Amino acid sequence: MRSFVVAFTLAHTAGLAQKVDLPAGTGHLRPGPEWVVLDATRLAQKERTDDPKPELARAMLGGVVEELRKRDRTGQHVVLHTTGANDRLRLINCYRADGSAKGSDLRGKTVIDAMKKAIEPTIAAEGATGTFVDHVHPDLFATGSVRLRFEVRLQDQRWFLDYHAVPAGPSLQFFEVLHFPDDPDAEGAIEAVLRSFDGARDGYRRSLLENAMYGGAIGGVLGGLLWWRRRRKAASVPTPGAD
């Protein structure tokens, strides 16, 4: 009886999953119903009725969307978001870069250094403080992949930015992930979504890999967060003549 209940529950949960098409046909994700999906059409909108209700989460998501709109990249990205413990934003920014590789290629120091060199200066811009935490090769895909983690501090806020690079045949699939240290279940929930990516497959050759890792590392979340900081800073400046 118990096995029947477990099987029914799993089948029911699977039936609730969404099928999300990723840009340029690299594959699909199947997040649960708690994740809100912003495709090109929805990213083109300034606001949406299902944007997060908590003020900080809403403002941070708004900054990311505004950055993609400003860079005219809404058609090249899909953004997934939800909120976790303490009303913290969980965000996955999905996009691709030109470059063919095998999972084993992503273990090389040169490749990892290329991503670090792209990300670290961007974090340092506009007064942000960024600390490289580590890189790992998580067991998420049969091909293998790499994940770089940075801790970012802006004013009184602190969060993690993770960059996953996954071989996707003739492309590299990137997942730029934001989550907070006081949202303890965030990492597991995000990895469950990433595991559902069905486009992971080794490429046929190591083509311009360092350039691809460098270009793919700048996905839009950092720019959006800096936009959010600038807006927040401007709002704190007293209006001339105000009491």
Side-chain angles (χ1 to χ4, degrees):
M1 179 65 179
R2 182 180 177 183
S3 61
F4 171 79
V5 172
V6 170
F8 176 82
T9 301
L10 291 175
H12 179 67
T13 302
L16 293 176
Q18 310 171 70
K19 183 178 180 182
V20 178
D21 297 329
L22 296 186
T26 56
H28 310 87
L29 290 176
R30 295 184 181 272
E34 72 276 13
W35 288 88
V36 176
V37 179
L38 305 183
D39 59 9
T41 300
R42 305 200 73 213
L43 286 171
Q45 301 168 358
K46 189 172 182 179
E47 291 184 333
R48 294 141 298 271
T49 57
D50 51 6
D51 281 354
K53 298 301 184 287
E55 183 179 359
L56 178 61
R58 189 180 189 89
M60 294 179 81
L61 174 67
V64 174
V65 173
E66 180 64 22
E67 177 70 10
L68 295 178
R69 285 161 49 90
K70 183 176 69 176
R71 291 165 53 187
D72 196 25
R73 290 190 56 85
T74 55
Q76 289 79 54
H77 291 250
V78 168
V79 174
L80 285 70
H81 70 85
T82 187
T83 51
N86 300 306
D87 289 334
R88 293 305 199 182
L89 179 67
R90 302 173 180 177
L91 184 144
I92 306 173
N93 178 26
C94 314
Y95 55 99
R96 63 167 289 281
D98 291 327
S100 180
K102 295 181 179 180
S104 57
D105 295 331
L106 302 181
R107 294 182 175 273
K109 183 178 184 299
T110 304
V111 167
I112 293 166
D113 284 348
M115 288 185 70
K116 286 179 63 178
K117 288 177 182 177
I119 296 167
E120 286 176 328
T122 310
I123 294 177
E126 297 292 337
T129 301
T131 303
F132 176 66
V133 178
D134 59 16
H135 80 271
V136 298
H137 302 280
D139 183 23
L140 299 177
F141 314 99
T143 59
S145 63
V146 65
R147 186 218 73 197
L148 275 68
R149 172 167 293 175
F150 296 82
E151 182 185 80
V152 181
R153 293 176 181 265
L154 272 176
Q155 297 178 337
D156 56 343
Q157 297 297 330
R158 178 172 71 99
W159 59 81
F160 293 124
L161 275 180
D162 296 345
Y163 291 83
H164 293 258
V166 187
S171 303
L172 278 170
Q173 179 66 48
F174 282 88
F175 299 106
E176 187 181 31
V177 170
L178 180 152
H179 59 103
F180 284 78
D182 60 349
D183 182 9
D185 297 329
E187 186 171 1
I190 289 165
E191 287 190 349
V193 175
L194 300 187
R195 284 181 189 276
S196 72
F197 176 55
D198 61 8
R201 65 187 194 278
D202 280 335
Y204 298 106
R205 62 189 182 281
R206 194 172 184 272
S207 171
L208 301 174
L209 185 54
E210 284 80 15
N211 288 341
M213 298 298 277
Y214 186 92
I218 306 302
V221 168
L222 274 173
L225 297 177
L226 297 176
W227 174 90
W228 161 74
R229 177 184 181 271
R230 289 192 295 270
R231 190 183 73 168
R232 192 178 181 198
K233 184 177 180 180
S236 67
V237 176
T239 302
D243 292 336

